Structure formats: C-alpha cells, structure tokens
Amino acid sequence: MSTNPMRDEHLSIGYPQPVLVRQDSTAPHLLSDAPRTSVLMELTDRVGVLHDVLRYFWKHDVNVSRIESRPVQDGPMGKKSFDFFVDFHGQRGDDNIEELLLSLKPITDKLLILDEKEVHWFPRHISELDLIADRTLDAGTDLESDHPGFNDKAYRERRARLTQAAKMHRWDKAIARIDYTPEEIATWGAVWDRMESLWDCYACKEYMHSLQLMKTHCGYQRDNIPQQQDISEFLKDRTNFQMRPVAGLLSSRDFLNGLAFRVFFSTQYIRHHSKPLYTPEPDICHELLGHAPMFADHDFADFSQEIGLASLGASDEDVQKLAHCYWHSVEFGLCREDGKNKAYGAGLLSSFGELEYACGHNQDQKPEIKPWDPEVAAHQDFPITSYQPVYFLADSLQDAKQRMRKFCEDLPRPFFALHNAQTDTVHIDRPVRRTKGAPDSVI
C-alpha cells in the first residue's frame, strides 16, 4: 500500500464499521519477508486526522502493509475515537522506524507497540510440506481388523512398500512411478466399470470435461491406473495444482495447509481386491477418480486453495469449521446444472451407491439437500462410515467459490496470506511467531 498522503486522502476515520486496508496483491513489497512492526494507535475523530498520521509514514519512507480500524466507545464530551491497528515494514532500532514512532506520539491519543502474534505453525514455502507429510494419523499399513485386507499378508506387504515410497518423496522430486499389478488394475477396472455410466448421469459438466482430457493426457482408462506424476504435470499446466504422495491420513490442519500451495496430498495404495466396490479409507480410486479431475477446473482449484489459505495459522475452532466446509463441498458437494442436481464432490464421484443416493430420483428415502452456505456447513456434523444425511447444493462452482471466499474473509484470521505461485511461497501481512504445533524438526 502506498503511504503517499495524496493517494490515501480517501481514507476517513468516520467509518461506522471496521475497515481493513490491504496492499494490492501485485505490490512487490508484499512479496517480501522483511521484518515488520505492529502498532495500535488511538485517534480522536476529526477531519483529516488519518491524513495527518499517514503523512509521517510517507515522510519517513515506511511502507504500510495493513491498516484495520475499530470504533472505540465515546469518550468525554461525546467525542468519538477509533483504534487503528497498523502493520508496517521495519523494526525497532531502524533509524526511520524510531523517527516515525517519535513523530506519531504527539498526534495520537495512545500509541502501543504490539508483540508478534503467536500462531499455529504453518508452511511458508512448499518445501516445508516435507515437514508435515509424514505426520499421519495412521499409516497406510495400519489396518483395522475389519479391513478386507487385514489377513492378507501379500496385500499388507504391498501397502508397506507403497507407504515407504510416499515417505521418501520430497517436494522437488518427481513422483516415483508405480508398477501396478494385474490384480490392482483389475480392481481399478471394476470400479471404473461400475462408475462410468453413473458419471454420465450424475457428474457435473466440469468433471466430465476434465475426465475426457485426462483420458487423452494422463492415461485414464479402465485397464490402466494413471501415474500421479503424469496427473501432476497435467494439472500444473491447467490450473497450477499438483499431487503429492502421502503415507496415510493427515490431520485436517496439515491437509488443508497443503491446499494453500495448490498441493493435494494423495494416497497411492488401492482397496483390497476381494471387495473392489468398497473401501473403508481413501485410496487411489477415490483420489484419482474422485478428486484429481476436479482440480483441472479453475473455479474448483481456486475454491480449494481459498480453504487452504484460510487454514494457515488458524485457530483449532476455525480449522474445524473449514474442515466441515471441505467435507460438505470438495468431498460431497452438489451443484445445479440444467435443472438437475449434479455431483462435484469426490466422495460422490467415486462411490456408486452414494452417487445414486444423492442424485437419483427413485430412492425410497431421499436425503436432505440444503443451499450451499459455508456458515451453515461449518457447523453441520457428518458421518464418516455411512451415507450423508445432508448435502449442500450450490448454484454453480463459481457460486460455491464466491460464497466460500466470503466466508473465509469473514473468519477472524491472524493474518492475510498470499500465495506467490512463482516462488511457491506464502507471504503474510504482519509479523507472527509460528510456534504452536511446530514439527519436531523445527522445534
């Protein structure tokens, strides 16, 4: 944000609601990790007071990265005051910062220098996804006793090898190619055959368009399991999304943090061949047939990244809200298309039974369908092992994205985050300390 007072003349202290002023996302100084200082200024309302304050930033050549105003209770004689939270580049000890603070003291009612905010650890560069990729809640080899492959020694050994391959992956390396067995390909084919006609009936047009492209460019066929590296290269060309192998389920925070970098953590193992149409956990049929094609759509890719960026440094409560929104959209979302309900959620697009249940017309007991409202979805509980009793219906993927963006903007986020696609770095607009829940390797 420029601090030239002529350009900031439109800012007024008289706003009745909190006002947030942020830098233009293309401003080069936003893409800097230079030290920042945060201050709280209380100003009595009068004509031109904000102009008078901001001119000192311009005078001392200090770049402001954020201004947020909040009304203060009326003081004596009914005078109105406002608190201004200001973040700017530079730190105590810098000559221009010390001169700025000295200049501000006489013209403010109160001037406090704020400590850096302590937040949950989050990755700042895509390379730091390596630090969370192994923080699995359960590994691909940790099978429950009721898993179809629990007593199959060969199946468990195969999953152990795939799990180890995922653990060896690093952010700057190509995804290792997997030589899938005839048995695994047959399992994939059984799922494909059962889903293909249902996609034609119930999948959204964005999914169908992407699936056709991926048949051409990624080897999507009933008798071939596509390689994640090929999918990743295709997605990066289309929407700058990419796949990343993971050994098992991650926490909601770690998984959503990856989406901020347009990275989707994906398993590499497949369900047991004895029950090809059932899986108690996400597998490559779910990841590659359900999720991957949707990431080739720009609106959906942007929608997913919005959730990811909002999760960075967020409170546990807000991460849970975002995870609920993710579940009711990216996993089980519906959109309206030509007067019909169509699926865009991966949990539907990879499950023949639930896809018919959610979108079909002849079932005896229909699920409840609510309009897509992230505020409602954030508090809507859901089952994991049975069909959803409630689905959320958006007017379109564009509508889903816009509503999610508004919801994320209204969350009490500890900072504003911007992903720089050229450097794969997340830049934030105020100083914070990433201390809570930091990976062991950075403690």
Side-chain angles (χ1 to χ4, degrees), residues 4 39 90 117 124 143 149 153 208 231 363 380 385 434:
N4 185 323
V39 299
K117 186 177 180 65
R124 292 292 304 274
L143 306 186
K153 181 181 178 181
M208 295 303 294
I231 298 171
Q363 66 267 20
Q380 177 69 54
T385 58
R434 302 179 297 162

Side-chain angles (χ1 to χ4, degrees), residues 44-61:
T44 300
D45 189 12
R46 63 175 175 81
V47 175
V49 64
L50 186 56
H51 178 283
D52 291 344
V53 169
L54 291 178
R55 68 187 179 90
Y56 285 103
F57 288 87
W58 171 66
K59 176 181 178 181
H60 296 292
D61 195 25

Side-chain angles (χ1 to χ4, degrees), residues 158 161-162 176-182 184-185 224-225 227:
R158 171 64 165 170
R161 291 193 296 273
L162 294 176
R177 294 186 175 272
I178 296 174
D179 185 14
Y180 288 104
T181 66
E184 290 168 333
I185 295 173
N224 179 66
I225 301 177
Q227 296 291 328

Side-chain angles (χ1 to χ4, degrees), residues 173-209:
K173 304 298 182 184
I175 301 174
R177 294 186 175 272
I178 296 174
D179 185 14
Y180 288 104
T181 66
E183 192 171 60
E184 290 168 333
I185 295 173
T187 300
W188 167 274
V191 176
W192 181 288
D193 289 343
R194 189 65 181 85
M195 294 302 306
E196 191 168 26
S197 62
L198 297 176
W199 292 330
D200 290 337
C201 292
Y202 303 125
C204 67
K205 60 185 178 183
E206 291 85 356
Y207 178 88
M208 295 303 294
H209 177 67

Side-chain angles (χ1 to χ4, degrees), residues 199 202-212 294 297 335-338 342-344 396-397:
W199 292 330
Y202 303 125
C204 67
K205 60 185 178 183
E206 291 85 356
Y207 178 88
M208 295 303 294
H209 177 67
S210 295
L211 185 61
Q212 287 301 121
M294 289 304 303
D297 178 78
C335 61
R336 197 70 175 161
E337 183 181 304
D338 298 328
K342 300 285 185 158
Y344 70 89
S396 64
L397 290 184

Side-chain angles (χ1 to χ4, degrees), residues 32 34 53 91 113 134-135 142 147 218 222 246 256 258 267 302 306 316 359 398 400 417:
S32 168
V53 169
Q91 59 188 342
I113 299 172
D134 288 345
R135 298 203 300 187
D142 298 332
H147 192 287
C218 305
R222 68 167 307 281
V246 68
L256 296 179
T267 56
D302 292 344
E306 289 284 349
D316 290 336
C359 298
Q398 177 73 13

